[in-house]
Amino acid sequence: MKPIGVVSFGEIDGMVLKAIAAHILGYLRIDTEIFSPLEYPGYAYDPRRLQYDAGAILKAFESLPVQSYAKVIGVLDADLFVPILTYVFGEARQGGKCAVVSLYRLKNNPDGSKASSPLFLERAAKVALHELGHLLNLTHCEDERCLMHFSGGIRDLDTAPPYFCRYCSVYLHDGLASL
Ligand SMILES: [Zn+2]
Ligand SMILES: [Zn+2]
């Protein structure tokens, strides 16, 4: 089976990519490979919203030559939006090839304090696993104790466990088997 690629757009803390890759390997038992950074997606900047268009980044990402990977997770520091939401932690097309994860909103706690490094890395890994779930064909789950539950804010994300419910796990393994 081809590995899951993990890559940054521009420069980010290398620890984050390692944490994401380790969580994917540890949780899903599939090989991961970190590859050299992609160009920062300046083209996706929306000067009206002062944010980056997640859909535009995904579209460009999906057109890159990443055939050597089963799925690819791209990580960046920029604040992402989709038209209907104020911001998103990540974005992926259900059953797609590539997902993006934004670190921008993961660095601070709801009270404005800075998140500890382990908490920040755990959040990044959770968002990455959630988006990988979408790439493996999963939709959002109603169970709050499931990683596929929709996280509208950092509190939701911190409440979500770093694993999938039994129901989603079944679908996840179907998705993995079809890779
Ligand atoms: Zn989602
Ligand atoms: Zn679930």
Side-chain angles (χ1 to χ4, degrees), residues 64-142:
L64 292 177
V66 284
Q67 295 89 339
S68 41
Y69 303 102
K71 304 286 180 189
V72 192
I73 311 280
V75 187
L76 77 174
D77 261 329
D79 193 19
L80 300 179
F81 76 93
V82 294
I84 54 160
L85 296 172
T86 315
Y87 63 86
V88 288
F89 294 135
E91 179 73 358
R93 202 165 45 80
Q94 197 191 346
K97 172 91 182 223
C98 304
V100 287
V101 171
S102 164
L103 305 175
Y104 187 87
R105 306 259 173 182
L106 309 182
K107 294 176 178 173
N108 292 315
N109 296 316
D111 66 3
S113 63
K114 197 170 178 291
S116 69
S117 176
L119 178 59
F120 167 66
L121 293 175
E122 188 190 344
R123 287 171 177 169
K126 279 177 174 180
V127 175
L129 270 177
H130 175 100
E131 300 306 335
L132 184 55
H134 284 311
L135 296 181
L136 293 168
N137 240 344
L138 268 66
T139 53
H140 285 149
C141 179
E142 283 177 24

